[in-house]
Amino acid sequence: PSSYVGFDSITQQIEHKLLKRGFQFNVIVVGQTGLGKSTLINTIFASHLIDTKGRLAADEPVRQTTDIQAVSHTIVENGVRLKLNIVDTPGYGDQINNEGCWDPIIRYIKDQHSAYLRKELTAMRDRYIQDSRIHCCLFFINPTGHSLRPIDIIVLKKLSEVVNVVPIIAKSDSLTLEERENFKQKIRAELAYNGVISYPFDTDEADEEEIQVNEIVRSMIPFAVVGSERTVIVNGKTVRGRKNRWGVINVEDEAHCEFVHLRNFLTRTHLQDLIETTAQIHYEAFRSRQLLALKD
Ligand code: GDP
Ligand code: MG
C-alpha cells in the first residue's frame, strides 16, 4: 500500500485554472509630450497583438494624446492569455505653470483602487473582480544628460507612493554611451537622495535568487530605451529600428539600447511580481487608509 495521496497534482489544477482565466496586466505611461511614449508601447507589444483598438500601423499619423485613455489588447502565447490594458496620459509638465499637473494621473490610479475596493465590499461580489488597478507606471525621462527637472522629482515621488514606478530614459539614441552611463548614475543618485522608492522591492518572502534578480534590475534602472514603429533592413534581416544620416539603430540590439532588457523585465521576469506587489503593497495601503477613514 502506498502512502501517496496525489495532492501534488494541485499545481496542474492551479495552472489549468489560471490559464483559463488569463492574466490582466495594466500599464500607465507618464512623461512630457514627444518623448516617445506611444511609440515605445507600440514597439514593446505591437508584434504580439492580435486584437487591438489602438494605433498600430506605422503609416497612421501620430496623434497627440489629449486625455487619459486606456486601450486594451489581448495577447496569446502558447495558450497563455494576457489581457493588456495600456493607459496613455497627456504629456504632463508641458505648461508654463505646472502646479498640480500630476493630479489627474494620481487620481486615475487611485480611482482604479477605489473601484476595486467598492466591488470587494459589495455583499454579492463577483467571483472574479475585474482588475483595472495599475500594475506598472513607465516614467519617461527627457534624455538631457543633465539632471531631472524639479517637477519630475515631485511627480516621481507622488507616483511611487501609489504605484510601481519604473523610470526609463526616453529616446536614448541622442546620448553617447558614456553620457548615457553618467546620466543613469546621476538619476539613480537623485532618486535615492529625494527618497523616491522605485520598484522592485525586496520583501521578506524573497529568496536568494529573487534578491539577486532585483539587484540586477536596480543596477539597470533607468532603462535607456529607443522606440520605433518602423522596420529597417540590417544585413538582409528586417528589424525594428530607426534610420538616421549615420546609420541604423536596431531597437532590439543590446549593444544599441536597453529596449530588450525593459521588455524582458516587463513581460518575462517581473510580470507576476508587478501584479502581486500592486495588490499586496499599493492596494493594501490604499485599502487600509480607506477602511480606517470609514471607522471615524
Ligand atoms: P509621445 O507624445 O510621448 O507619445 O511621443 P510619440 O510616441 O508620439 O513620439 C514623438 C516623436 O518622437 C515621433 O516622431 C517619434 O517617431 C519620435 N520618437 C519616438 N521614440 C523615439 C526614439 O526612441 N528616438 C528618437 N530619436 N525618436 C523617437
Ligand atoms: Mg502619445
Side-chain angles (χ1 to χ4, degrees):
S2 149
S3 57
Y4 176 71
V5 199
F7 64 81
D8 58 352
S9 79
I10 194 163
T11 53
Q12 286 147 42
Q13 300 163 34
I14 293 173
E15 186 179 298
H16 180 75
K17 264 213 156 127
L18 283 176
L19 293 184
K20 220 169 61 184
R21 201 188 310 162
F23 296 86
Q24 176 75 51
F25 186 50
N26 307 318
V27 182
I28 197 166
V29 292
V30 176
Q32 267 172 281
T33 301
L35 283 184
K37 298 184 291 299
S38 308
T39 306
L40 187 80
I41 284 302
N42 283 324
T43 318
I44 297 178
F45 297 108
S47 44
H48 305 280
L49 304 177
I50 49 169
D51 68 342
T52 177
K53 291 156 216 140
R55 167 176 66 104
L56 283 170
D59 43 5
E60 258 182 72
V62 177
R63 58 165 163 71
Q64 215 189 328
T65 324
T66 49
D67 26 51
I68 296 180
Q69 38 183 271
V71 180
S72 343
H73 313 278
T74 303
I75 306 175
V76 181
E77 266 179 6
N78 296 321
V80 182
R81 207 151 52 98
L82 181 68
K83 284 173 275 178
L84 188 66
N85 241 343
I86 306 211
V87 183
D88 204 351
T89 60
Y92 87 89
D94 294 342
Q95 310 299 317
I96 294 174
N97 179 1
N98 287 316
E99 188 62 38
C101 63
W102 53 82
D103 279 345
I105 300 171
I106 302 282
R107 198 174 323 124
Y108 183 89
I109 294 169
K110 286 191 176 164
D111 281 350
Q112 311 315 311
H113 284 170
S114 165
Y116 197 91
L117 180 58
R118 265 200 311 278
K119 285 186 208 146
E120 232 180 24
L121 294 178
T122 327
M124 297 283 293
R125 68 168 185 226
D126 303 335
R127 182 103 60 113
Y128 302 115
I129 301 177
Q130 174 67 33
D131 190 3
S132 65
R133 295 171 297 183
I134 302 293
H135 303 118
C136 179
C137 169
L138 292 178
F139 186 92
F140 286 63
I141 297 168
N142 208 337
T144 59
H146 297 291
S147 48
L148 293 169
R149 298 180 303 167
I151 189 173
D152 287 333
I153 292 174
I154 296 174
V155 176
L156 276 163
K157 233 182 135 136
K158 299 220 176 254
L159 284 169
S160 70
E161 283 160 14
V162 293
V163 67
N164 296 323
V165 178
V166 176
I168 60 188
I169 301 174
K171 298 187 171 183
S172 71
D173 48 319
S174 66
L175 299 169
T176 67
L177 288 181
E178 201 186 346
E179 287 166 339
R180 182 174 104 181
E181 200 39 51
N182 289 339
F183 194 34
K184 282 172 73 132
Q185 283 180 20
K186 182 120 199 235
I187 291 169
R188 279 201 292 270
E190 282 187 308
L191 294 179
Y193 179 79
N194 290 287
V196 177
I197 348 134
S198 67
Y199 182 85
F201 312 107
D202 288 332
T203 58
D204 305 338
E205 286 170 32
D207 57 32
E208 197 93 342
E209 197 190 325
E210 288 166 326
I211 291 177
Q212 229 169 43
V213 172
N214 285 350
E215 206 43 61
I216 295 171
V217 167
R218 268 186 223 109
S219 71
M220 299 211 58
I221 282 176
F223 295 99
V225 297
V226 175
S228 175
E229 293 177 85
R230 291 175 188 276
T231 53
V232 289
I233 297 181
V234 181
N235 300 332
K237 264 177 52 187
T238 308
V239 298
R240 233 162 232 287
R242 309 189 70 85
K243 196 183 207 154
N244 62 26
R245 269 183 291 160
W246 305 277
V248 168
I249 293 160
N250 177 355
V251 165
E252 302 206 22
D253 186 337
E254 291 170 45
H256 293 190
C257 76
E258 297 171 335
F259 171 78
V260 170
H261 296 285
L262 173 67
R263 190 179 58 192
N264 284 347
F265 162 81
L266 274 183
T267 61
R268 300 194 183 160
T269 60
H270 284 71
L271 180 61
Q272 175 59 16
D273 191 67
L274 284 160
I275 295 172
E276 254 173 38
T277 305
T278 300
Q280 288 167 8
I281 296 184
H282 299 295
Y283 175 67
E284 243 347 273
F286 174 86
R287 188 174 183 275
S288 43
R289 272 197 308 272
Q290 293 292 308
L291 297 183
L292 272 179
L294 280 182
K295 267 210 235 150
D296 304 333

